[in-house]
Every structure is written in structure tokens, then in C-alpha cells.
Amino acid sequence: MVKHASLPRNDTGIETALGVLKQQFGERFQTGAAIREQHGHTTTWIENQPPDAVVFPASTQEVSEIVKTCAQHRVPVIPYGTGTSLEGHVNAPAGGICIDVSQLDRVLEVNAGDLDCRVQPGVTREALNTHLRDQGLFFPIDPGANASLGGMAATNASGTNAVRYGTMKDNVLAVEAVMADGRIIRTGTRARKSSAGYDLTRLLVGSEGTLCLITEITLQLQGIPEAISSASCSFPSVDAACRTVMSVIQYGLPVARIELLDDTTVKAVNAYSKLDLPETPLLLLEFHGTDASVVEQAEIFGALAEEQGGVGYQATTTTEERNKLWQARHDAYWAMLQYRPGSQGIATDVCVPISCLADCVGKAQRRVSELGLIAPILGHAGDGNFHVSLLVDMSDADELERAAGFVSWLNDLAISMDGTCTGEHGIGQGKRPYLVKEIGEATEVMGAIKQALDPQNIMNPGKIL
């Protein structure tokens, strides 16, 4: 495991806050070792740093009361959604109180005519889309995991649909948030645009719990497309697949999804999902629109792919076939783990300009080979964002060291290409060393904002900065 230094603890303040919150919340206040460890660790290789207690509030007002108690006694506050983050976001390096928002799970309002809704942070992506389905609407951001919408807002999640629909910051109209002193604020309205002051919504979306705890989110929705077509196409090399992606973007083809799987990932997916895809680099696509437009989009893509040596191109509008294809894509993480039984997946992501994608992925593949590692690669190619999942024997110290070295090397490579060390995983604890390399003195501005809004540093300390 990668170890991070613990921060200084305020034992006296923590003990006092524990007593106050235990009396206030009764059975919704838990200090058992198992539940604390569950809330101090997620799908990451970073060591477990559990909180001192976990509280389950049922309203914004209760969240405010918890934060006020913690502020009074200088106790850290760590938000928790569904625990699907990857960079140590929910670890508690200074101890403190974890606020689990799973009971804040109501869809509060749907305004079908305006294509928006208001939800609590514990609502998951899948639950919202189930709720919306009979109204002909859907929420398009799909990070793969069935994450909570509060967590998705906190980390500015994106995923497979981002190439067409953007990321969370593009789809959140406003948030209600509890600040570090317990104040409750709302950052905007349901209006689609505003010139009223600083854009606090975008400041808080992506702040990873370091500035506030989000208690309500107003989201922009989309109409379910009249027609959806999915397609797959194999390529002789990753370079050829990436050149096709560039052609698609430059042509202006409005693809909803365009996912890249390298040959190792395809092998893993075939074995896990019982598919028979050619075991060479693959693009998976989805087109949204009218019956006529999705057919036209699919035909244009087929022609662009053929120019780059694409073979085995297949498109389908059949729901069953589409779902089978995309379920296999969403199961890719589990497929990778099965590809090397007994290993742990160390997932990292970077994002580069589209024109640099082929070069970056190619160099990553060669580096993996040089280090003797196994590391399937897949990505949201339309954004220049890709993920490397290193399959590591955690008992092998040498292999673990090589994996850590690769992660560091990849972050530096992306930054050198005018890209970012994280397209969607966030900074958390794991990517902090690279933030200064990426944005330089702008981190001082971030620090000034953090100091102004959270002078006691109680909101998710040890993350980002």
C-alpha cells in the first residue's frame, strides 16, 4: 500500500465532539472498527486511514449541526457518498467525523418542462435515471460506477458520455452547501445562465469536500434520444484507433461516446463477459439522435475508420445488443482483475490534448513493457482521457515500487504534453505531488481560497493542497 503521513490530531476536541454527537444522533452515530475502516478506504491502493466516528444525517439542518459542532471543537469533517473514489478522498489522516450522506437520498423535484431536477447528495446516478425514465428524461454523466451524485459533484466526475454532454461542472446548475462554519448557502438558481457575481457553483463542484459539504444539487437533464446506435470497430494499432478519434472530432461528428480499449483490455473483457471481439485495439461508440441521424453518423464513422485501417465494424440499434456491449465496458475493471487473479488494480488516469493521445498512450504501453508490468489501458478517447489499471501483486515490494514509479512517470508525461495529471479521478491524496507541477503558483490561489473559507482546515484536510 502507498502510505501517507498522518496529520496532527486534536484528540481533546475529537473526544468532546464524539460525546456531543453520540447524544444527538444515537444509533445513527457509529464508532465500530469495521464501519470506520469501511469509511476510511475505497477502491484505491492508498492505506486505510479511518475516521473516529461515522454519522448518518437525514437533513441539511442535521449536516449543519454536525459541522457546527466540529467547527467549535476544531474536528475534521470528511464527506462520504458511496466510496467509489480512487485517490484517497475519504481517508481521515487527522481522524475526525465522517458524514455519510446515504440517508439524504431523495429526488426532491423534477421540472420536466425545464429539463432540470433537484436531488439530495446520496441519490445515485442509476437511481436518478430510474426515477426519470417514465418522463422521457435522463442524466447523462456516467462515470461507470453507480456513484452518488454528491460525490460526483464533489470530484467533478465525467465518464463515457462526456464527449457529448460534458462533465459534472457542465451539468450542475446550483448546489446547496454547508460551509466550514455550519452556514447553509445556495450558489445559484434554475436559470441556465447568470452573470451574478462569482461562479460559486463551479468553485464548489470539484472541490473534493475541502471547502464545503454539498447537501442538494440542481442538475440539468436531457431528453432520452429518439434513437440510439452503438458500434464497435477493431484497429491494427492504438495509433490507428487514436487517429480515427482525431478524425471524428475534427469532422464534428456528434458522437455520444467513443471509448478506446487496448488489446490487453479486449482480452480481459472477452474472457469475463464471454464476448468474441477481435483481440486488437478497439473503439466502442454510441450515437444519439433521430432514426435517420444515427444511421448517418454510423455510416460516416465507418468511412473514417476504414481510412485508418479499421476492420470488423459493426453497428446496432438493438437494445439487447447495445446493453451487452456497454455492460461489458462497465465491467472492464472486474474483467481486468480476473485477467490476473490475486492482483490488485491500481487505477490511474491522465488527460491530454486529442492530438497527443496516440503518442501518450503509445509511450505508456512501451513503458509498461519496459517495467515488466501488466497494465490494461482504456479511455474516454473523445476527451483525450485514458486510464491505466496496473495489476499488481501487492506482496511483491519490487513490483509495487515499479508500479508507483510508472504512475509518477505517467503523470509527468501528461503534464509535459500540456495535459493534466487527472482527467476525472481528482487529486485527493494520491495526486497532490503533481498539482504544483501542473498549475504552479495557481496552487497558492487555491490555498488562499481554502484559508478564507475554511480557516481551521477542518473540511477534508490533507486533500488537494
Side-chain angles (χ1 to χ4, degrees), residues 193-209:
K193 63 180 183 177
S194 171
S195 296
Y198 300 146
D199 191 345
L200 296 181
T201 302
R202 289 201 172 193
L203 173 63
L204 300 185
V205 171
S207 62
E208 301 183 15

Side-chain angles (χ1 to χ4, degrees), residues 2 8 27 43 74 98 106 165 170 174 177 229 342 355 362 422 425 450:
V2 171
E27 292 300 313
T43 48
R74 301 178 70 93
C98 174
R106 291 186 297 136
Y165 298 104
D170 303 306
S229 174
S355 60
T422 175
H425 288 184
K450 170 72 169 173

